[in-house]
Amino acid sequence: MSEQELNLTPTRPYLARAIYEWICDNNLTPYLLVDATKPYTDVPQQFVQDGQIVLNIAPHSVHMLNMTNDAITFSARFSGASKDIYVPINAVLGLYARENGQGLFFDPDEYANVQIDEDVLESNTSEEVETKTEAPKKKPSLRILE
């Protein structure tokens, strides 16, 4: 193998974005299969089973979905409470359509030899904490004007 082949970035984030778009374009429901045991993964632990969680990431189910080369982030409601989700891309095990199971499942060992920039992951998770600790938003209210 040449040195250039050894320094290639993993295909997982690119394929995840593509399959998500394909699922949505076909009016199907995208489900994200996550390894909840990976470091920096922030998902609702009460729904984790056998170290994994399946998340519905349909556009109408999530808010501010962002799929980068480092992580998938969004906000969603779980048992009526809003939660910010952070899934490092190495924790993504698959992305598939709920209705027919079609999609992609990734090799869990794909990132075994990839150097993950933990500073990026730490800064992303600390940014989330900082935004959460800002002044709480006021409860919305309506006022009748005459």
Side-chain angles (χ1 to χ4, degrees), residues 24-146:
C24 291
D25 284 352
N26 285 283
N27 296 316
L28 300 172
T29 308
Y31 274 9
L32 182 69
L33 178 61
V34 176
D35 179 350
T37 64
K38 294 287 186 187
Y40 306 106
T41 303
D42 188 9
V43 295
Q45 292 299 310
Q46 67 267 31
F47 300 108
V48 173
Q49 294 179 352
D50 298 324
Q52 297 181 346
I53 187 170
V54 176
L55 301 167
N56 176 351
I57 57 171
H60 64 274
S61 299
V62 300
H63 181 65
M64 295 179 51
L65 177 67
N66 189 17
M67 301 175 82
T68 68
N69 288 354
D70 299 316
I72 297 175
T73 60
F74 58 91
S75 178
R77 297 186 81 70
F78 297 88
S79 301
S82 182
K83 170 137 177 76
D84 291 330
I85 305 298
Y86 185 87
V87 179
I89 205 68
N90 68 321
V92 174
L93 297 176
L95 191 61
Y96 62 95
R98 177 192 71 193
E99 292 80 0
N100 60 15
Q102 289 188 349
L104 288 176
F105 294 89
F106 302 106
D107 178 6
D109 298 327
E110 179 183 9
Y111 279 80
N113 296 322
V114 175
Q115 182 66 30
I116 297 172
D117 190 356
E118 292 191 11
D119 292 337
V120 170
L121 295 178
E122 283 182 28
S123 68
N124 287 339
T125 53
S126 66
E127 284 174 16
E128 278 186 29
V129 170
E130 288 173 16
T131 57
K132 288 180 192 175
T133 57
E134 291 175 2
K137 294 181 181 177
K138 290 184 180 179
K139 185 176 175 183
S141 63
L142 292 176
R143 188 171 60 155
I144 298 176
L145 300 175
E146 293 182 28

